[in-house]
Amino acid sequence: MRAATENGDSWRQSLETLVRWTGAAAGLTVNALVSYGSESDVDLLYKFAVFGLCVMASAFAADALARRSPGRLRVARMTPRRIRDYVPRALTVALTVQAAVLLVLLVVAAATASPDEAGRSGHALSVTCPAGAQVLSPWPGPHYARPALGGLALGTVVGALLLRRITAGSGSDDQRLAGARAAIGAWGVVVCAPLFGVSLTMGVAVLSLACGGVMKAAALWGLAITALVSAVTAGHCLCVSLLPQAYVKVRL
């Protein structure tokens, strides 16, 4: 009987993993077939959001499968479950900080944006140097902020609902831990992928400045570090969302 139960758990875990990978594959397929804008930079920001939300949707589906555990004895638990007991603390804090950095960069970019050479509002950065005026494009102003902010807002709401569902749902603690990690990983993709795109775009524009001195160097270092950290974190989050069982015993 115990062997049959273990085989059932193993089969269910394999099916959950397949569902998560299918969500990621679906996100890539949709992005390959659909164009969200005529500008490549804006289109890419939409693709980041769509991919992250597809991964989040697959986490929902995997959680639904994890709840199917008939025949097990359920014991009432007096202590209420808390979301913070199941999420990876260090990773959640890191993602929260990066989400705040993304918001700050978008606000700064929007406040400093100006029309580009084609007259399109919010597409460029205009700077006056001793050698003359420069118009640097692309610049992630309000026009580019819509997909990044929309994806972040929607992903955060969906992720919070998923975490609440996982925490309150049936199943073992290991299933809840794996589900919570998958949800945080999917949210991490929604946060870090646009952060990488925004920081890299701003960094390329700042690098092209003909003046700036120490402030230019400091901005370049900050944006380069942000782009690197967000890229590494996005890759890690994708792994967590696709293979959360591997991180159940690790409090990351």
Side-chain angles (χ1 to χ4, degrees):
M1 184 69 179
R2 181 178 179 182
T5 301
E6 290 178 351
N7 288 335
D9 288 343
S10 177
W11 177 84
R12 186 174 290 107
Q13 287 183 0
S14 299
L15 185 58
E16 291 170 26
T17 300
L18 177 61
V19 168
R20 293 189 178 100
W21 280 87
T22 300
L28 292 174
T29 302
V30 170
N31 284 337
L33 297 176
V34 179
S35 177
Y36 306 97
S38 58
E39 299 174 56
S40 59
D41 296 319
V42 177
D43 189 48
L44 184 60
L45 288 174
Y46 276 110
K47 289 180 186 296
F48 285 152
V50 169
F51 178 75
L53 291 173
C54 285
V55 173
M56 189 84 71
S58 68
F60 261 105
D63 176 65
L65 290 174
R67 291 168 184 259
R68 298 179 183 178
S69 51
R72 292 186 181 181
L73 179 64
R74 298 183 62 183
V75 180
R77 179 172 176 173
M78 300 302 294
T79 305
R81 300 186 194 124
R82 301 173 301 180
I83 292 177
R84 66 183 183 183
D85 294 331
Y86 295 97
V87 298
R89 295 185 184 92
L91 181 58
T92 303
V93 171
L95 292 177
T96 302
V97 171
Q98 292 188 54
V101 172
L102 174 59
L103 291 175
V104 170
L105 290 181
L106 290 174
V107 169
V108 171
T112 56
S114 59
D116 62 6
E117 294 178 347
R120 297 176 300 177
S121 177
H123 282 64
L125 173 67
S126 180
V127 180
T128 302
C129 293
Q134 279 186 285
V135 178
L136 306 171
S137 181
W139 182 253
H143 183 69
Y144 298 91
R146 295 189 191 102
L149 289 177
L152 178 61
L154 184 57
T156 300
V157 172
V158 174
L161 292 175
L162 178 55
L163 286 173
R164 183 177 180 181
R165 169 187 167 89
I166 290 170
T167 304
S170 60
S172 67
D173 272 347
D174 280 353
Q175 287 174 329
R176 280 186 285 273
L177 285 169
R181 277 155 176 71
I184 291 296
W187 184 61
V189 175
V190 174
V191 171
C192 297
L195 177 58
F196 170 75
V198 169
S199 58
L200 183 63
T201 301
M202 293 179 74
V204 171
V206 172
L207 183 62
S208 302
L209 280 174
C211 57
V214 176
M215 291 188 64
K216 173 184 175 180
L220 279 176
W221 274 106
L223 291 169
I225 292 173
T226 300
L228 177 61
V229 171
S230 60
V232 173
T233 307
H236 174 68
C237 286
L238 183 59
C239 293
V240 172
S241 66
L242 296 179
L243 297 170
Q245 293 88 352
Y247 298 86
V248 166
K249 302 301 181 182
V250 182
R251 301 295 292 182
L252 291 176

